Amino acid sequence: MVVSRDNIGNLRGWYEGAKDANQAMLLGSHLDSVRDAGKYDGPLGVLVAIAAVRDLYNRGVRLPYAIEVVAFADEEGLRYGTTYLGSKALAGTFDAADLNRIDAAGVTMADAVRTFGGDPDRIAEDRWKGGDLVGYCEVHIEQGPVLEARGLPVGVVSGIAGQSRHQLTFTGEAAHAGTTPMDHRKDALVAASVFVQAVADYAESQAGLVATVGRLTVQPGAANVVPGEVILSLDVRHARDADRLHASKHLIDVAGKIAAQRGIALTTTQVSENGTVQCSPRLSSLMARAAEDLGHATIQLASGAGHDAVEMAGLTDITMLFVRCKGGISHNPAESVTEEDVAVAIDVLGKFLALLAADD
Ligand code: GLV
Ligand code: MN
Ligand code: MN
């Protein structure tokens, strides 16, 4: 492949097609990770794509379309709170205003880009310019328990649930832990804790809804000081956009009521939002056929996790193949896949590319 790095940090490998090829197929996933992550969420899809291209190369095969393998730079959004930075740049939906965001150390995204050698002013130039696309295919660890429970190495993804992320700041009053009577306190952490419980209670009561408070910052954060401020994250997901939007609004209202009851101020900001995305029935049925031709029964399953495929869906048809995951554990160092299942994924992807080449 001819390899380049674009200005947001995506690594892109181009494998030329046959002489008369006038289209391209994108394969990819992300290289970034979460804190205390596993090894496979993201990198697995990049490596499987490279392995499939290596196999084409070793056999001297050129397809009626070129392939670009993309190792996306920042999917998880940990550093700047914005998900899908790399795939947004490729899809042409990158918002230049995000370059002003600062990380926990006060470094702007623009400076972070400059530090690794990218040019923040040229990110718009990295949008897809390679001509007509056949589609985008992402292989990814399932990150859930379904394939393991069904005894299947791989599964075809039907769609990706939408997600909303918010930041909530509860501002009370820092005070002395020994001298401030309980009825004089404006304890931001107590209000935040009541909210965390309310989020779980509500999500447990609504079919298909998942809602998570994954990060709390407590100020001033001392054993002998009543907490004056808590900043927390709220992540809300549902396969139906209307249900997700309703739940987000409801939970923000609940936070407002809890804060008001305790004399605490609340501010909220929406950090990101993505609607539910469906995979292409045509590409997904080719993917299922690829698995079945190789002797593997498949199922269709929905993804509760977000993927770069969400952004790529704005550019072209998408399909995804999930790989069985031990115990359904992900975003955790215990994340695990077997060599045999990864071999199946490489073979299925190779077969899919061949079926796609023959499909008109
Ligand atoms: C990505 O891993 C997500 O949060 O869904
Ligand atoms: Mn992830
Ligand atoms: Mn991922």
Side-chain angles (χ1 to χ4, degrees), residues 30 32-34 41-42 75-76 140 143 305-307 330-331 335:
H30 59 102
D32 68 310
S33 196
V34 293
D41 170 5
E75 186 264 1
E76 307 275 9
H140 204 281
Q143 310 182 273
H307 300 287
S330 184
H331 283 184
E335 189 178 79

Side-chain angles (χ1 to χ4, degrees), residues 287-357:
M287 186 65 87
R289 221 173 91 205
E292 279 151 22
D293 283 1
L294 293 170
H296 307 288
T298 53
I299 51 164
Q300 290 234 344
L301 66 174
S303 175
H307 300 287
D308 290 300
V310 168
E311 287 300 326
M312 300 318 291
L315 197 60
T316 185
D317 288 349
I318 61 160
T319 182
M320 287 192 70
L321 184 72
F322 271 173
V323 180
R324 174 165 47 190
C325 160
K326 188 174 174 199
I329 299 289
S330 184
H331 283 184
N332 181 317
E335 189 178 79
S336 180
V337 291
T338 66
E339 234 175 278
E340 292 76 16
D341 287 355
V342 175
V344 170
I346 294 169
D347 289 348
V348 170
L349 179 58
K351 182 80 188 173
F352 165 79
L353 294 173
L355 290 175
L356 189 59

Side-chain angles (χ1 to χ4, degrees), residues 137-191:
C137 172
E138 180 163 354
V139 175
H140 204 281
I141 186 168
E142 181 200 337
Q143 310 182 273
V146 176
L147 292 172
E148 187 175 68
R150 299 286 289 268
L152 298 171
V154 291
V156 179
V157 177
S158 53
I160 303 164
Q163 52 177 274
S164 304
R165 292 192 194 172
H166 298 265
Q167 178 168 291
L168 286 76
T169 304
F170 291 86
T171 308
E173 191 170 54
H176 196 292
T179 59
T180 316
M182 296 309 285
D183 61 355
H184 272 64
R185 295 182 179 206
K186 291 183 181 168
D187 186 326
L189 182 55
V190 171

